[in-house]
Amino acid sequence: MAFHEVGFRFSIAELPESCTEEEVCDALSNYNKDASIHGILVQLPLPQILNILSLEKDVDGFHPLNIGNLAIQGREPLFIPCTPKGCIYIVYAYSENPEIIAREADILVAATGVPNLVRGSWLKPGAVVLDVGINPIEDPESEHGYRLIGDVCFEEAVKTASTITPVPMTVSMFLLNTLEPAKRALGFTWFKAKELLKCFISSSLLETWR
């Protein structure tokens, strides 16, 4: 196993399907207290168990406090969940020419945190571009002294892409999430949410939702 190859010692606690929640918690507590154990991986789904797992030993990164720190800007999580961390490692290790890679994509998702990084020349003609970057830049003419731009240079990309999202796309989803509890409270089974979002999302993107 991978643990053996790198010289790690590991222990597996296998409990029967008939075990109680208390028995699972006891097994976790024993690992939490064991100073010779430095990392604990819980085979999910066991949502109620994650609160009991030691934050400092949750190497899978799913402890509620760790997820909270991961989600809030300016906070530092102790661990990044393994799958996205692996993706980041791969990108840094092998993506020396991101513009060449981007030019091959039919669907491009930009989330770099670098304003206007993706230029129009990076895009494959007809590509679908999902720009989820939100970058504030100074703008003296703006009411607040700044404006938001994405990771994609919209003015260039719109000439090449078949569909591109505006910035910030997240606001549109916030509106959708706000609409859902209102629908439930008022007993609406269907509401044309697309009409609400037309001011924020291009009509070509709405076509892809139909």
Side-chain angles (χ1 to χ4, degrees):
M1 294 180 65
F3 285 97
H4 286 146
E5 293 178 5
V6 295
F8 283 16
R9 181 176 65 87
F10 73 94
S11 172
I12 299 177
E14 293 183 300
L15 302 178
E17 291 185 9
S18 59
C19 71
T20 64
E21 181 177 334
E22 183 179 2
E23 289 174 316
V24 176
C25 293
D26 287 342
L28 273 179
S29 296
N30 290 334
Y31 283 132
N32 285 340
K33 297 173 185 176
D34 189 341
S36 68
I37 299 294
H38 302 99
I40 304 171
L41 179 65
V42 177
Q43 185 64 53
L44 300 177
L46 288 174
Q48 302 304 319
I49 302 302
L50 293 177
N51 291 318
I52 300 168
L53 178 62
S54 168
L55 173 63
E56 292 77 12
K57 296 183 180 184
D58 173 34
V59 291
D60 212 16
F62 287 137
H63 188 285
L65 290 178
N66 192 76
I67 290 295
N69 287 332
L70 182 67
I72 299 175
Q73 187 173 7
R75 301 251 184 117
E76 288 294 331
L78 287 180
F79 304 102
I80 297 175
C82 301
T83 299
K85 186 171 185 176
C87 294
I88 293 171
Y89 265 78
I90 291 171
V91 168
Y92 277 124
Y94 300 105
S95 294
E96 296 181 2
N97 298 300
E99 65 273 20
I100 295 177
I101 297 173
R103 211 172 289 136
E104 298 175 354
D106 294 315
I107 301 175
L108 180 70
V109 181
T112 65
V114 180
N116 287 336
L117 172 68
V118 179
R119 315 301 300 194
S121 60
W122 288 29
L123 301 177
K124 180 180 181 180
V128 173
V129 179
L130 306 178
D131 187 357
V132 295
I134 303 178
N135 306 290
I137 63 169
E138 292 186 8
D139 184 357
E141 298 181 2
S142 172
E143 178 183 356
H144 303 289
Y146 71 91
R147 60 188 175 90
L148 298 177
I149 65 173
D151 296 342
V152 179
C153 181
F154 186 89
E155 293 77 11
E156 295 179 7
V158 73
K159 299 175 183 177
T160 304
S162 63
T163 298
I164 182 170
T165 58
V167 177
M169 183 183 68
T170 307
V171 172
S172 303
M173 298 303 103
F174 173 78
L175 294 175
L176 265 183
N177 281 351
T178 304
L179 179 63
E180 290 304 318
K183 286 165 54 180
R184 288 193 291 269
L186 297 173
F188 292 162
T189 57
W190 171 245
F191 183 83
K192 293 185 177 179
K194 296 173 188 176
E195 297 298 322
L196 180 66
L197 299 178
K198 278 185 177 178
C199 294
F200 296 92
I201 300 180
S202 66
S203 58
S204 57
L205 180 58
L206 288 173
E207 288 294 326
T208 67
W209 288 8
R210 293 178 179 172

